Structures are given as C-alpha cells and as structure tokens.
Amino acid sequence: MHAPIVSTTRVPIGSDADLAWVRQQVRRSAADLGFNLVQQTKLVTAASELARNALVHGGGGHMEMTVLAEGAHHGLRLSFVDAGPGIRDVDLAMTDGWTTGNGLGMGLSGAKRLVREFALDSRPGEGTTVTITDWVSGLPAPRTGAP
C-alpha cells in the first residue's frame, strides 16, 4: 500500500543557485516534519548530490518534493528528473569509485546509503529519474529550552 500524498512541490534545477534552493527546501521541509538533525543532514546531502547530478550530467531538470503521511508517520519523497543523455550502465554507475567526471564516484551509491528507499530509472537518450524516500524515525526530537 502506498502512503497518501499530502503535498508536492516542484523545484527547478538549472543553475548553482537552484542547487542551494533545493538544499534549503529539503532542510526546511524535513525539519517541519520532525526529522532529527542527523536525518536532515543525510537527506540534504543526498538531495544535494542528486540535484548536482541532474544539473551537471543531465543538463538541468527539476526536483519533485512530496510530503507523505502513513498514519502517524511522515516522510519525504524526492524525485530528481532530467532529460539528459541517461545512464548507459546503471550497475557500473552505482559502483563506488566510478565516475564520468572529476568527482570521487560516490554520488549515486553514497546517496543510496543515506536514505531508506532509492530508485533509479534511466534510459539512454531519454534522461534519468532518481527517487529517494525517507521517513521520520520513531526517536523523539531533542528538547529545546528546558534543562
């Protein structure tokens, strides 16, 4: 059964400034939903990497950020969509250390390790969509203000 969608926001990815906007939107939404600081950092890190991939390798695109609710549980689904050249060998691209650029080759595989759910759909000549989903953990948020 799929979790009901509460809301969806579309954020363009066409410049370095847009990458900063993606990070801000993901951080704000994750905090508003109750993700703890470690979860927020992991989600923002994964989003930053995937948005940069859409810009650099896909020529730009967009992120769809969807707030999910399943009973008392809340989550975020982030889809990074581009219409670039696609990934010819997905298995190779998911290998740590493999890169088509000057990076460390940890982007896709690193992003996958940072979230609970990861899906990659790419077709050469048609573009790539990477979708990640994470849920607020059952751990209580730290108290503020009171000793």
Side-chain angles (χ1 to χ4, degrees):
M1 180 177 191
H2 296 287
I5 295 172
V6 175
S7 67
T8 299
T9 304
R10 186 176 171 133
V11 179
I13 301 170
S15 69
D16 284 340
D18 292 337
L19 299 179
W21 185 240
V22 163
R23 288 189 295 270
Q24 288 176 343
Q25 292 298 308
V26 171
R27 168 89 59 202
R28 182 183 52 79
S29 294
D32 289 349
L33 288 171
F35 282 83
N36 66 41
L37 186 57
V38 171
Q39 290 178 298
Q40 290 175 40
T41 302
K42 287 179 177 183
L43 199 54
V44 169
T45 301
S48 182
E49 179 59 39
L50 297 173
R52 179 161 295 286
N53 281 356
L55 179 62
V56 172
H57 301 292
H62 67 275
M63 174 188 74
E64 291 180 10
M65 180 171 56
T66 304
V67 175
L68 304 170
E70 189 171 278
H73 302 286
H74 291 89
L76 276 178
R77 177 183 303 134
L78 308 173
S79 293
F80 299 85
V81 181
D82 70 62
I87 300 172
R88 294 209 180 277
D89 188 337
V90 171
D91 291 334
L92 184 59
M94 291 300 298
T95 303
D96 285 346
W98 185 83
T99 181
T100 59
N102 295 323
L104 298 174
M106 301 296 283
L108 290 173
S109 59
K112 181 178 181 179
R113 283 191 294 273
L114 292 171
V115 297
R116 292 189 193 173
E117 300 171 29
F118 180 97
L120 188 152
D121 181 30
S122 186
R123 292 184 174 86
E126 296 181 26
T128 301
T129 299
V130 179
T131 302
I132 59 175
T133 305
D134 212 344
W135 295 88
V136 177
S137 73
L139 300 174
R143 294 182 358 182
T144 59

